[in-house]
Amino acid sequence: MQESPAPDVVPFGWEPGPADLMDDIDGEVYFRFPTPDDPAPGTRRLLAMSLYASLLGLAGVGIGIRGLVSQIGGGVPGWYVPVLAFLGMVSVALSVGAFLSIHRRVLPWLLLLAAALPLIADIMLAVAY
């Protein structure tokens, strides 16, 4: 296997990364895959986050179906579908970030709450058309 001369920009949780990429506050990165030596997250915490994320996902599917029906029916502006898709992807990215930071105390909850904001904007956009 050939070594790459490029430095690791974002090391995965199971790979050692360069020391200069570590967080200056406490020596840990905020977003990473869990390592085998990490403690398992609490069952209640994981269940609550999963239920909340699944509600976000179901709402996103509903918005996608509504957007598809609006697009097929016609009468929507050209920017409608790209904006609807972009806001949905922002919500998904924030939800993924929440699960990648599950070992933090407050950050996952803030990210999941922030994921609802683009989804609310999607809902308002879908209702308008």
Side-chain angles (χ1 to χ4, degrees), residues 30-33 49 52-53 56-57 60 84-102 107-119 122:
Y30 287 109
F31 302 102
R32 64 181 175 83
F33 291 107
M49 286 178 62
Y52 186 81
L56 290 174
L84 204 67
F86 175 74
L87 290 173
M89 287 187 289
V90 168
S91 183
V92 167
L94 289 168
S95 297
V96 168
F99 281 94
L100 287 177
S101 65
I102 195 166
L107 184 59
W109 299 111
L110 292 175
L111 290 171
L112 283 175
L113 288 174
L117 297 177
L119 199 59
D122 256 355

Side-chain angles (χ1 to χ4, degrees), residues 29-99:
V29 292
Y30 287 109
F31 302 102
R32 64 181 175 83
F33 291 107
T35 60
D37 58 335
D38 281 339
T43 305
R44 288 185 205 165
R45 179 184 186 91
L46 186 59
L47 180 63
M49 286 178 62
S50 298
L51 287 174
Y52 186 81
S54 66
L55 290 176
L56 290 174
L58 286 173
V61 167
I63 292 167
I65 292 172
R66 169 78 170 132
L68 177 68
V69 168
S70 296
Q71 182 69 26
I72 291 173
V76 295
W79 53 264
Y80 176 74
V81 173
V83 169
L84 204 67
F86 175 74
L87 290 173
M89 287 187 289
V90 168
S91 183
V92 167
L94 289 168
S95 297
V96 168
F99 281 94

